[in-house]
């Protein structure tokens, strides 16, 4: 029967052995990723040749000043207005039915084409022409839509 182990001896690596182990791991990683490392080196060389590495280095050195300038630009009134307007527009778009929006956009495109054709004819419209046009179901539908749109906007503005 074997003797029980009473003492476990932990082998400590010397500094030189640790360095050799690290180098072996590094060489193994390099050999496994040769293509990507070469691409990275080419990219860095291109950045260097174009002067971008110098610009990035300068930017990093002046990071505090650059951050102050960026924050200063972002807090300007026109930029904050743009951000607030974009957020408001995003909020409006989330409330709209996508199917209705798509239908409206297609109708608007068709209307613009028709209006362009009407400009080419260049005829004058009189009061009786307007009255007659209201009997056209398509025009009547669009005018009704516009009036309802104006009604809803007016109600919204009252709030």
């Amino acid at each position: 029967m074997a003797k029980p182990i009473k003492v476990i001896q932990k082998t400590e690596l010397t500094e030189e052995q640790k360095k050799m182990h690290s180098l072996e791991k590094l060489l193994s990683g390099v050999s496994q990723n040769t293509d990507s490392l070469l691409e990275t080196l080419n990219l860095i060389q291109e950045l260097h040749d174009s002067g971008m590495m110098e610009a990035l280095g300068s930017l990093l050195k002046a990071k505090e000043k650059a951050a102050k300038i960026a924050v200063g630009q972002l807090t300007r009134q026109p930029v904050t207005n743009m951000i607030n307007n974009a957020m408001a527009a995003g909020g409006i778009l989330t409330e709209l039915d996508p199917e209705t929006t798509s239908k409206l956009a297609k109708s608007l495109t068709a209307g613009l084409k028709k209006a362009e054709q009407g400009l080419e004819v260049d005829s004058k419209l009189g009061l009786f022409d307007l009255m007659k046009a209201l009997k056209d179901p398509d025009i009547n539908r669009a005018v009704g839509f516009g009036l309802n749109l104006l009604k809803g906007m007016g109600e919204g503005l009252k709030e």
Side-chain angles (χ1 to χ4, degrees):
M1 192 166 171
K3 289 183 183 179
I5 299 173
K6 293 182 180 179
V7 177
I8 298 175
Q9 291 182 348
K10 187 175 180 183
T11 55
E12 292 277 331
L13 297 177
T14 64
E15 249 341 279
E16 190 66 31
Q17 289 173 326
K18 288 179 184 178
K19 287 181 184 177
M20 288 300 291
H21 183 67
S22 293
L23 279 174
E24 286 172 8
K25 281 175 44 179
L26 182 62
L27 286 173
S28 173
V30 167
S31 66
Q32 290 174 2
N33 299 299
T34 303
D35 293 338
S36 60
L37 286 171
L38 288 174
E39 279 184 43
T40 304
L41 287 173
N42 285 335
L43 176 65
I44 291 172
Q45 186 62 46
E46 288 294 325
L47 288 170
H48 176 72
D49 292 345
S50 68
M52 289 298 294
M53 288 296 282
E54 185 179 343
L56 287 172
S58 298
L59 182 63
L60 287 174
K61 287 177 187 171
K63 61 185 167 233
E64 260 186 59
K65 289 179 184 176
K68 283 181 185 178
I69 291 170
V71 168
Q73 292 298 314
L74 288 174
T75 56
R76 287 183 20 239
Q77 186 68 26
V79 177
T80 56
N81 284 348
M82 181 187 67
I83 292 169
N84 290 336
N85 287 334
M87 288 173 50
I92 290 169
L93 290 175
T94 60
E95 293 179 21
L96 295 176
D97 178 30
E99 197 171 303
T100 304
T101 306
S102 174
K103 188 175 182 180
L104 184 61
K106 288 176 184 174
S107 301
L108 182 62
T109 303
L112 288 172
K113 287 179 184 176
K114 197 74 161 174
E116 195 173 311
Q117 292 170 357
L119 284 175
E120 292 172 3
V121 173
D122 196 32
S123 62
K124 295 200 179 215
L125 279 172
L127 188 58
F128 289 113
D129 294 323
L130 286 174
M131 299 292 270
K132 193 164 68 170
L134 281 174
K135 292 183 181 182
D136 182 328
D138 294 330
I139 292 177
N140 194 293
R141 189 177 312 109
V143 169
F145 178 83
L147 290 174
N148 286 323
L149 176 70
L150 291 173
K151 174 82 171 153
M153 283 177 63
E155 290 172 356
L157 289 171
K158 184 171 52 176
E159 293 175 2

